[in-house]
Amino acid sequence: MSTDAGQAPANSAVARARTAQVAWAALSVADRVAKLRAACLHLLAHADELAKLIVHETRKPLAEAYSSEVLGVGDLFGYWCKHGPAQLAPRKGKIPALEMPGKKATVLRVPRGVVACISPWNYPVSLPMRTIVPALLGGNAVVLKPSEVTPQCGLWLVAKLQDVLGEVVQGLAGDGAAGAALVRAKPDLVVFTGSTQTGRKVAVACAELGIECALELGGKDCAVVLDDAELDRTAAGVAWGILTNAGQNCSGIERVAVHAAVAPVFLPKLVAAVQAAAGDVPELVTAQQRAVVTGHIADAVRRGAKVLTGGEPQGDQPTPPTLLADVPSDAPAWCDESFGPMAVVAVGKDDAALVALANDSRYGLGASVWSANADRAQAIAGQLRTGMVWINNHSFSGALPDLPWTGVGDSGTGVTNSPDALHHMTRPRLVVIDSNRAVEPWWYPYGDRMVALMQVLVARQQRNGIAATFRTLQALKARVAEMKQVNRD
Ligand code: NAD
């Protein structure tokens, strides 16, 4: 395992992965599935060890370590081993038999080669596994660069996968410099999950080297609470959306837009739900993140924001779950990702005002709409500028491998999970077989007959009428007869 941040370890990890990928890609999909199932069982046999490591590195409650990380491992393997082969199966391409007789097209899904997976610390197991499993199934090798904040979880995964799969999975420890070196080592695809700021640097580096990249970046999700929402359930759900993983969640609820008609009743319920959850909310993982959250709260309060509960952390006390109101719309607490156990509430007089509040963000990962009226909620959902919208829930779908996890704007437009992710980790390869022995009309020499044929085809497109189609068919039938004759000769 490489453990320093120089270029050589990155080069060597990519080179080893590239060598191993050749034999891995040569396996049938069924053989890869069998090996991935064995790797899954090996990981699950050590599930308790993994859960403890997650708690050690992230301070998550053990329940969350299992629910949001360990359990997902089995689900990921299960989903991809069952549904991935059909998504990788060759498909027949359509070739018009009359105009282009004797030809068959097949579109294969082939691996890209080496996929670099650069990961953050907030979900150090489930996030990289969302990339690793489909990438391997697609015939790629993977180099994982875990966050320097949670290196052990990532390197543990690599070691356990290597036990079963060998060198086709590689790990590269280190900080941002190691990540940058990994990109410079020229993998074939970089799947980056992390902050918007770092994602931009990765995108530039990839563009300069001509490497494809997928970016899953920060968020500033908004929960939109309508005046017909079931308020007790909504308060419980929104409180969870704000506080799960201590708010260190890319799609954590950081803004709550409440309909004015229910704000006086809903906000006290939300405050109570947030206060009641405090015992289950661990301290933030890094001092740096605590400083960001503290800064957002202090800035908002200095500008006149009202603290509904919580507030700036005191001394070495844990960061308290915090709700703020009357925050100016240009304050970092409203505009920037806080990534902590806090949210800003704002009140809107009608649905249009609530939509405007929710869309007032450069980020666009997720949003939720809380309402008893599914039609009204869906109408609002259709106006939200985000990659994902949940109605009467928030964010939980990240654990479901069939559902795309994706954003727009400063949240990046990469996709993890779902067939879209597998499609991005593989490339289409077209194979066409031509059994027609006649010379094609579009080959040299161009004569009058080819011009006439093309004019007939254009006329069909222009008019798309019965007469044109009839003439086209006549011309094409004559052409087919001619070709058949050539093929017989
Ligand atoms: P980060 O951007 O600081 O680091 C992410 C990874 O990038 C780390 O492994 C880091 O070492 C590496 N890195 C840093 N500089 C690099 C460079 N120049 N080139 C290549 N790699 C480099 O992010 P973080 O603090 O670890 O994670 C938190 C962020 O991740 C939050 O913004 C959160 O919203 C985001 N996130 C997004 C999603 C999503 O699916 N959209 C999921 C989880 C986290």
Side-chain angles (χ1 to χ4, degrees), residues 51-401:
K52 283 186 196 135
L53 193 53
I54 294 166
V55 171
H56 169 69
E57 276 199 314
T58 67
R59 301 183 184 159
K60 281 179 212 270
L62 187 60
E64 269 187 37
Y66 278 107
S67 66
S68 66
E69 301 261 30
V70 177
L71 261 182
V73 171
D75 289 344
L76 275 168
F77 279 101
Y79 171 81
W80 286 113
C81 289
K82 183 168 180 197
H83 300 287
Q87 295 166 24
L88 290 170
R91 79 169 174 85
K92 287 201 184 324
K94 291 186 179 54
I95 296 185
L98 279 176
E99 288 97 326
M100 298 174 182
K103 297 162 186 42
K104 282 194 184 127
T106 308
V107 183
L108 308 170
R109 298 291 329 168
V110 297
R112 284 184 180 269
V114 176
V115 175
C117 174
I118 302 179
S119 260
W121 46 265
N122 59 332
Y123 291 97
V125 170
S126 58
L127 285 178
M129 289 306 282
R130 280 190 213 173
T131 293
I132 291 171
V133 180
L136 290 173
L137 181 74
N140 300 286
V142 179
V143 181
L144 171 63
K145 209 300 278 171
S147 166
E148 60 275 29
V149 179
T150 52
Q152 292 178 46
C153 285
L155 299 182
W156 186 97
L157 285 176
V158 171
K160 286 287 173 287
L161 289 169
Q162 281 184 342
D163 287 345
V164 179
L165 304 175
E167 296 257 288
V168 76
V169 184
Q170 295 289 325
L172 181 70
D175 57 12
L182 178 54
V183 174
R184 282 195 300 272
K186 292 201 78 172
D188 301 289
L189 170 69
V190 175
V191 178
F192 173 85
T193 307
S195 63
T196 302
Q197 198 185 8
T198 310
R200 291 240 163 87
K201 290 186 201 160
V202 169
V204 168
C206 285
E208 280 175 350
L209 292 166
I211 302 170
E212 179 80 11
C213 72
L215 305 174
E216 297 274 356
L217 308 177
K220 191 79 189 169
D221 284 14
C222 187
V224 176
V225 181
L226 303 186
D227 51 347
D228 59 1
E230 205 283 87
L231 296 184
D232 288 319
R233 183 178 184 277
T234 301
V238 172
W240 180 85
I242 296 169
L243 299 177
T244 184
N245 206 23
Q248 301 159 120
N249 178 6
C250 51
S251 75
I253 296 174
E254 299 203 355
R255 299 175 301 141
V256 185
V258 192
H259 197 290
V262 290
V265 185
F266 175 71
L267 290 178
K269 287 180 188 290
L270 181 61
V271 167
V274 163
Q275 289 171 344
D280 285 325
V281 179
E283 177 49 345
L284 299 173
V285 173
T286 67
Q288 191 189 358
Q289 204 50 49
R290 180 179 165 104
V292 170
V293 172
T294 306
H296 283 191
I297 298 170
D299 168 87
V301 169
R302 216 171 20 248
R303 299 209 219 173
K306 199 166 142 198
V307 178
L308 301 183
T309 184
E312 273 187 71
Q314 301 298 316
D316 57 1
Q317 293 296 303
T319 308
T322 296
L323 290 174
L324 303 173
D326 303 331
V327 173
S329 62
D330 62 346
W334 179 263
C335 303
D336 298 337
E337 185 178 42
S338 304
F339 217 54
M342 63 173 284
V344 173
V345 301
V347 175
K349 66 177 175 16
D350 55 22
D351 291 5
L354 294 170
V355 168
L357 283 169
N359 282 340
D360 180 24
S361 178
R362 61 195 168 92
Y363 295 101
L365 192 56
S368 51
V369 183
W370 301 77
S371 168
N373 181 335
D375 291 340
R376 182 179 170 201
Q378 286 189 62
I380 288 184
Q383 298 171 63
L384 298 178
R385 204 175 47 245
T386 58
M388 301 171 287
V389 185
W390 303 275
I391 292 174
N392 293 323
N393 217 313
H394 199 95
S395 178
F396 73 100
S397 62
L400 302 175

Side-chain angles (χ1 to χ4, degrees), residues 434-449:
D434 190 354
S435 55
N436 173 33
R437 288 172 52 211
V439 170
E440 298 291 0
W442 63 85
W443 290 357
Y444 299 121
Y446 296 153
D448 291 347
R449 287 181 61 240

Side-chain angles (χ1 to χ4, degrees), residues 456 460 464-477:
V456 168
R460 181 180 63 164
N464 199 20
I466 292 169
T469 305
F470 179 74
R471 277 203 305 278
T472 306
L473 285 175
Q474 292 300 308
L476 290 172
K477 275 183 186 158

